Amino acid sequence: MIKQQGRFFALTTRRTAYCFQVTEQGLLQHLHYGPGMDLTSGWEALVPQVRHAPGNGAVLDGVVLEDMALETSAPGLGDLREPFVVVDTPSGSPVDFRFVQANLLPEKPELAGLPSATEGGETLEITLADRRSELLLTLRYTAFDHCDVITRQALLTNTGNQSVTVRRLMSNQVDLHSQDFLFTTFNGAWAREFEPTDTPCGPGAVISGSRCGVSSSLANSFVILRSPGSSEEHGSCYGFNLLYSGDHFACASGNGYGKLRFLQGIHPEDFAWQLSPGETFAAPEAMMTWADGLSAMSENLHQFIRRHIVRGVWKDKPRPVLINSWESFYFRFTQRDLLSLARQSRDLGVELFVLDDGWFGHRDNDTCSLGDWTTVNRKKLPDGLEGLANQIRSLGLQFGLWVEPEMVSADSDLYRAHPDWILGRADQAVGRHQYILDLTRREVQDHIIAAMTEVFTKAAPAYIKWDMNRIFTDTFSAGLPPERRGEVRHRYVLGLYRILETLTQRFPQILFESCASGGNRTDPGMLCYMPQVWLSDNTDALCRCRMQYYASFGYPQSVMGAHVSGSPNHQVLRRTPLDTRFQVAAFGLLGYECDLRTLSPEEKRRVAGQIAFYKSYRQTLQYGQLYRLRDGKDGFWQVMAVAPDKSQALTLLFQPENRPNAPALRLLARGLVDHAAYRLWVRPVQVDLRDFGGLVNMVSPVRIRQGSLAEATASKLMALSSEEESIVASGSLLTACGVWLKQGFSGTGYDEKTRVMGDFGSRLYLLERQEAPAAPESDQH
Ligand code: GLA
């Protein structure tokens, strides 16, 4: 809701308020962002009372900007914090934007060429004009009431008759009245996405950003500002993100007056945009939320992403269980291999077969053929892509395909025909032996659209994994004059968005999954086109448990692809139980990425059981509200997904290391209906006799040698079942106290009342709401 009282403006949502005022100088002074409140009177109480300019502060029209919280800022006016907008004007004077007008728009406008959140209602549009040049700055604010999210847009228009150079135009600025915050960023590298870092704020700037050309695993565009004592349940927490897939910048810059400025937008380094007369430059849309506690913050962001970012036919649809060919075959496969893997997968319950890299040109390794999408490798696929796709479909599976359309190999027909289509010079620092196509150029965009249209039309895939395996190095573009060099990186992203917009409109039924060497381009911008993302190439259950946990601070599990892979795992060579690999992947969009044909009959039976289980609970696992309950500090990780109607919940307990003689353990719960009764049970897993080693001989009538055939036979014949848990308790009891679980194995005995979890062990517990018992008949006698 948008409220105005004279010069005061407020955006209010269910539990938050965002307030600012227009000062007598025409400045936009920020007053409050945080908990909601009754604003019927007393707006003035939000305005700091400043009578005298402090010390040597620069005074502009009677005020010291450095000591003010503002909605926008620029250098050269006495405000020394990182600025919102920087423009080189013909006169060389600093820009100084002042209020012109406020308008209420019935709907949030879309941004030309950029993705924006859907179903944004009433929008407050503020126009400011530069006092010295003919530049207009437009700021738009939209409140999303139900999920406590506010979006912002910023646009700069040149109404003069000379060009200017925009050096930076941020998307969001929030000036806080305290520096007592931690800046939480999500950092990492290939296979190590979403490692959290807390940096205390204070005087000076803390910066997090990407200069890779993509939103990057180095620093995700999702960041948090939170009070130091904040927890899942309480504390002031701001979550910020950007609908953008290129170089981004987030900064918390503190000054000498106890103020902290948060900025987010396109990374200003290497950015310079020539704005000609009559043109408008739009910054990407920003999103933010405030909540009391990290859990509520995440819930707001999850709901917003599910409802207003993800769109199209797949928006709320159950996602199929897939098998991906990559870790089974890498580049070495035949059509026969693929079909036999598909058949096996289908028999176990898989719904979608995805052919990964290696199907085109002569791509037997990663040094060649990117770009030659319409030349199918007939040696591997004698019936062509169409032939394979049809055979997969006739098995009763959907067909999916991997592509990496933004790239070209030096050894490719495309590069030989168009050596000038690459970004940068040929002798640049390359990654994975490949060049990036110059997506700033219309003819290159059109070529990609045409090539993909041909592939998608022929193979008719139900799913596309859209990969991007390079970071930017040399960004010279043969298509742009030297003075526009600073536009290349952003123009690339705009080119990409045009391609994605065209293809997703043309093939609305395809489920796209965004991938960039795993999670190197996980951002709300991509999610506007692709409803899911391959979170990481790392499929190790322990790493994934942590990664999915931390990614959930900003993103819902309904956007995270998660696969069961082989053991030992290919990225870290760790051996983990099959049940754990499944139970971790089940808290994402389940897939398998291993050669299911090579599993033992017993393992196949278990995989079939996993898939059947997942399908029964898929709606809650994919779309339930996710709660984080344990972060590994007490030796366990625990997350819980609760169905929107709270009729059902599933919770994962993961134990990285088995502690001897460990303290008794309680299962925790959140998000249930207090007065409702829930039945708790645990998904049975297999306990392998061999895990007991020589201890078996304490109970076995005959001596069994470890590693012997007798041991293997005994383990097959004597299936040990895991412990049982069964209890009915109220939601409030489960939330307040949790449930004491069966004792963990501690070297002294084993029976059905002992939990044998071992290293990397896990359990999946279910909570199902019971029908309300009929009211007892009252005793009439
Ligand atoms: C990237 C992806 C992988 C796989 C390979 C294929 O590394 O992240 O999942 O698709 O490319 O080359």
Side-chain angles (χ1 to χ4, degrees), residues 107-114 116-118 140 153 155 285 311:
E107 278 177 8
K108 178 166 73 64
E110 293 194 347
L111 290 172
L114 285 163
S116 59
T118 59
R140 294 188 190 133
Q153 297 180 348
L155 301 99
E285 191 165 291
R311 60 204 65 186

Side-chain angles (χ1 to χ4, degrees), residues 73 109 119 193 209 324 366 368 371 374 409 516 604 641 654 659 713 764:
S73 54
E119 296 168 46
E193 291 86 344
N324 178 297
D366 64 7
C368 66
T374 51
S409 306
K604 284 182 189 168
F654 181 92
R659 280 179 74 202
T713 314
L764 207 159

Side-chain angles (χ1 to χ4, degrees), residues 261-300:
R261 168 166 301 159
F262 175 78
L263 287 172
Q264 190 165 35
I266 295 178
H267 205 299
E269 212 164 303
D270 273 340
F271 175 84
W273 192 273
Q274 304 293 311
L275 195 64
S276 305
E279 285 182 351
T280 294
F281 178 82
E285 191 165 291
M287 55 186 263
M288 60 182 152
T289 190
W290 177 89
D292 182 19
L294 291 160
S295 181
M297 178 204 72
S298 297
E299 188 167 344
N300 293 345

Side-chain angles (χ1 to χ4, degrees), residues 663-681:
L665 180 68
R666 268 206 263 224
L667 187 76
L668 307 176
R670 283 287 175 283
L672 303 173
V673 177
D674 278 352
H675 58 266
Y678 290 86
R679 185 171 81 86
L680 171 105
W681 56 281

Side-chain angles (χ1 to χ4, degrees), residues 137-154:
L137 177 62
T138 308
L139 301 178
R140 294 188 190 133
Y141 302 79
T142 312
F144 292 77
D145 185 63
H146 69 100
C147 54
D148 290 319
V149 165
I150 290 174
T151 58
R152 280 188 65 169
Q153 297 180 348

Side-chain angles (χ1 to χ4, degrees), residues 326 356-357 363 402 432 465 467 469 515 517-518 534 537:
W326 182 240
D356 210 279
D357 199 352
R363 191 151 164 101
W402 177 96
R432 226 188 178 207
K465 178 174 170 188
D467 210 341
N469 288 311
C515 173
S517 307
W534 181 225
D537 277 353

